[in-house]
Amino acid sequence: MAIEVLGTTPDARMGDVASAAGVVRRTVYGYFPTRSDLLVALARRAVSEIAAVLAEDAPVGKAADVAWADFIARLWPMTHRYRVLVVLRRGEFGEGIHALLGDVEQSLADLVERGQRSGAFGRHLPAGVLSQAAWSAVFTIADDELSRMELDVSAVILTSLLMLGVPESRAKVLAEQAGRA
Amino acid sequence: MAIEVLGTTPDARMGDVASAAGVVRRTVYGYFPTRSDLLVALARRAVSEIAAVLAEDAPVGKAADVAWADFIARLWPMTHRYRVLVVLRRGEFGEGIHALLGDVEQSLADLVERGQRSGAFGRHLPAGVLSQAAWSAVFTIADDELSRMELDVSAVILTSLLMLGVPESRAKVLAEQAGRA
DNA sequence: GGCGCATTGCACACCGGTGTGCAACCATGA
DNA sequence: TCATGGTTGCACACCGGTGTGCAATGCGCC
């Protein structure tokens, strides 16, 4: 589908998207009158998927560090779909995308802040920045071609937990546990 | 200068670069016959600057974690110049840039691996991936508009050290120390 | 068969950015 | 004063990608 292509390379041409969808350029315009529309639709979809996962994995009662671990575990296999978001933040759409991402980023920041208050996460960076850094680190790792394949989920989770200031011993347990599920 | 503009927005038009340099579009073509040439020249320069810093801050004898901290401390104030590299890795130039970045990334990976062998860094990820993740995290943080201003260098250093698996207590000391210099 | 609907193929206008050619225009300095 | 060399301001060709119009072609379904 379209999301597969634009997910990995959001600057793909309409023609590429089309042929990836097994269809002709002209046809795409039937569904999305404009390239922008396509991108926005895609972003909107990605955002809502992510928000769903986040809501499900990080309910209010759950410990913040556990919630984070679970969230990353679910996020990991889908990173290639969501790359759109990361790339799109910079660039023409900056404003519009930021608006869409707004509440996801907010939820993430809230989660981190909760963790900071409970002492589970460190306070070396303000919650907003820290959450941002930790979650895009996951995408960075995913980008590394070498990693993609042979890499264990729990290693990725572990890395992000470490960034968040979770002590190594606990981080290891959480990562192991969330990675297994 | 040109690097200031393209550093932050590598997809800037020739006109923008020109006016940023206080000159007219036509003039730029006098120096760089092609947009590509400009980008490559810029990238080359950024790479060599970075390589220099790295070589200076991470001599063979130095402890890997100290070296890393010092390196990030020096890198931080220049992140906006080097953004070119990060952005350029994906996109048209992928191959060419990768070649340029090759030895820097290698040095970084070597440093991390040295740290892993000495036990200073964790082994949760292969050295190549880990170094990549840790150093682009710095750029990610730098991108966050909020952060840019009020953010303390040592906080950034600390974060990257944590990613690398340095225990919190030691990471704090190193970050504090490197951040002060 | 005949209707409807989505898809296709092609042609074309349009747009923005790149790169070039050329003449005019200052400077600086001999 | 004149020459030189970098800069400027157009004008223009070119290119690739977007978006549209329209006729032709399927293909399923009644």
Side-chain angles (χ1 to χ4, degrees), chain B residues 34-68:
Chain B
T34 273
R35 182 188 161 77
S36 300
D37 295 329
L38 177 52
L39 262 342
V40 171
L42 234 45
R44 202 183 298 277
R45 169 166 152 184
V47 164
S48 75
E49 282 188 40
I50 261 183
V53 172
L54 185 52
E56 185 178 340
D57 276 332
V60 281
K62 209 165 170 183
D65 48 6
V66 181
W68 182 274

Side-chain angles (χ1 to χ4, degrees), chain A residues 85-101:
Chain A
L85 302 178
V86 186
V87 180
L88 247 49
R89 290 194 60 200
R90 285 250 159 199
E92 359 164 33
F93 290 91
E95 228 23 68
I97 292 298
H98 198 71
L100 278 182
L101 272 182

Side-chain angles (χ1 to χ4, degrees), chain A residues 94-158:
Chain A
E95 228 23 68
I97 292 298
H98 198 71
L100 278 182
L101 272 182
D103 37 341
V104 170
E105 294 184 343
Q106 189 56 47
S107 309
L108 237 28
D110 289 345
L111 177 57
V112 168
E113 196 186 342
R114 216 173 78 206
Q116 286 182 324
R117 260 203 300 270
S118 79
F121 296 155
R123 298 180 172 280
H124 42 294
L125 289 178
V129 181
L130 188 52
S131 63
Q132 199 58 38
W135 107 304
S136 42
V138 174
F139 285 96
T140 305
I141 298 179
D143 268 3
D144 221 315
E145 328 78 64
L146 343 172
S147 65
R148 276 248 60 104
M149 15 228 38
E150 328 273 332
L151 219 54
D152 193 26
V153 202
S154 56
V156 181
I157 305 177
L158 177 53

Side-chain angles (χ1 to χ4, degrees), chain A residues 8-9 11 83 89-92 98 122 124-126 128-130 132-133 136-137 140-147 151-152 155-156 158-159 162-165 167-168, chain B residues 8-9 11 83 89-92 98 122 124-126 128-130 132-133 136-137 140-147 151-152 155-156 158-159 162-165 167-168:
Chain A
T8 54
T9 9
D11 48 345
R83 250 191 70 78
R89 290 194 60 200
R90 285 250 159 199
E92 359 164 33
H98 198 71
H124 42 294
L125 289 178
V129 181
L130 188 52
Q132 199 58 38
S136 42
T140 305
I141 298 179
D143 268 3
D144 221 315
E145 328 78 64
L146 343 172
S147 65
L151 219 54
D152 193 26
V156 181
L158 177 53
T159 309
L162 287 177
M163 276 185 86
L164 291 167
E168 194 184 346
Chain B
T8 54
T9 6
D11 48 346
R83 250 192 69 77
R89 290 193 61 201
R90 286 250 158 197
E92 1 164 32
H98 198 71
H124 42 295
L125 289 178
V129 181
L130 189 51
Q132 199 59 37
S136 42
T140 305
I141 298 179
D143 268 4
D144 221 316
E145 329 76 65
L146 341 173
S147 66
L151 219 54
D152 194 26
V156 181
L158 176 54
T159 308
L162 287 177
M163 276 185 86
L164 291 167
E168 195 184 346

